[in-house]
């Protein structure tokens, strides 16, 4: 089945630790995105990538990093610089940026120990 | 930059009565507009999409939305609410070649 796979479903981070959230898609989409969802805040864009080996900061990129070495993969690292990392993280993809329906993964809930 | 404002954080309706979820947008272009729905513990699902064709857009599950450029609005409606409609609804705007921008969401409660 085509789709987006996020792992793990739940993740716990200790103080000062970097953690990486995985996102893989087999839809052959060029564009991939990371959104953060907090109650009452909607979805806020962290980073996006329009093509392999290229990515752009979104509205809340501080404390996060990404890579796009392969078309199908767009991992997100939550660094120790992100002081409030507890949130629900959603990965999405689309054939291209803008004007397009997004295909979402099932999300990763990150909590701080 | 484009933006979207959902005017109500929470809407409560009785089963069988009409639903109105309000959304205003800001864009420098002729935007694309979307409504997504998120049911508890489920993923985001596209309800409907406007991309400069007909101004009245019909979506899944009996929902529809009307694009009104003069009012910069894209309100979501449904004639008769069902218990299964209880969810979080997001209004979304997109300009050419830019990522989608989400509103803060409206939580719809349906009372039996």
């Amino acid at each position: 089945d085509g789709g987006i796979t996020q792992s793990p479903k739940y993740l716990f981070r200790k103080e000062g630790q970097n953690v990486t959230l995985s996102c893989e898609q087999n839809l052959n989409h060029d564009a991939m995105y990371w959104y953060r969802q907090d109650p009452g805040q909607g979805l806020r864009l962290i980073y996006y990538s329009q093509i392999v080996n290229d990515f752009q900061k979104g509205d809340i990129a501080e404390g996060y990093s990404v890579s796009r070495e392969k078309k199908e993969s767009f991992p997100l690292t939550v660094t120790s610089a992100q002081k409030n990392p507890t949130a629900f993280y959603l990965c999405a993809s689309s054939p291209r940026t803008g004007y397009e329906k997004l295909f979402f993964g099932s999300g990763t809930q990150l909590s701080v120990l | 930059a484009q933006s979207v404002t959902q005017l109500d954080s929470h809407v409560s309706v009785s089963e069988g009565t009409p639903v109105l979820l309000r959304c205003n947008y800001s864009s420098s272009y002729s935007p694309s507009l979307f409504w997504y729905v998120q049911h508890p513990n489920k993923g985001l699902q596209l309800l409907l999409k406007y991309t400069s064709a007909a101004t009245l857009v019909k979506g899944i599950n009996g929902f529809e939305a009307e694009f009104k450029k003069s009012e910069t609005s894209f309100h979501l409606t449904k004639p008769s609410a069902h218990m299964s409609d209880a969810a979080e609804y997001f209004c979304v705007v997109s300009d050419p070649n830019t990522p989608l921008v989400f509103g803060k969401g409206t939580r719809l409660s349906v009372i039996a």
Side-chain angles (χ1 to χ4, degrees), chain A residues 43-79:
Chain A
L43 276 68
R44 292 181 290 169
L45 183 66
I46 304 172
Y47 269 97
Y48 68 102
S49 169
Q50 295 178 291
I51 200 167
V52 176
N53 292 321
D54 178 71
F55 49 83
Q56 308 290 332
K57 291 183 179 179
D59 300 319
I60 55 165
E62 185 174 352
Y64 300 97
S65 65
V66 294
S67 63
R68 187 85 186 277
E69 297 176 0
K70 298 186 295 182
K71 187 175 186 178
E72 59 270 23
S73 179
F74 192 43
L76 173 74
T77 296
V78 184
T79 75

Side-chain angles (χ1 to χ4, degrees), chain A residues 11-101:
Chain A
L11 186 59
F12 297 90
R13 193 192 91 165
K14 295 179 181 177
E15 292 288 340
Q17 185 183 40
N18 293 353
V19 293
T20 297
L21 284 60
S22 171
C23 178
E24 304 276 332
Q25 56 102 355
N26 59 6
L27 300 167
N28 201 34
H29 286 170
D30 282 326
M32 296 187 74
Y33 314 81
W34 276 104
Y35 287 91
R36 169 177 170 146
Q37 186 175 16
D38 296 278
Q41 294 295 317
L43 276 68
R44 292 181 290 169
L45 183 66
I46 304 172
Y47 269 97
Y48 68 102
S49 169
Q50 295 178 291
I51 200 167
V52 176
N53 292 321
D54 178 71
F55 49 83
Q56 308 290 332
K57 291 183 179 179
D59 300 319
I60 55 165
E62 185 174 352
Y64 300 97
S65 65
V66 294
S67 63
R68 187 85 186 277
E69 297 176 0
K70 298 186 295 182
K71 187 175 186 178
E72 59 270 23
S73 179
F74 192 43
L76 173 74
T77 296
V78 184
T79 75
S80 57
Q82 173 49 245
K83 298 307 179 187
N84 185 23
T86 297
F88 189 59
Y89 291 85
L90 283 161
C91 179
S93 72
S94 64
R96 60 185 174 94
T97 307
Y99 279 177
E100 291 284 348
K101 168 187 173 181

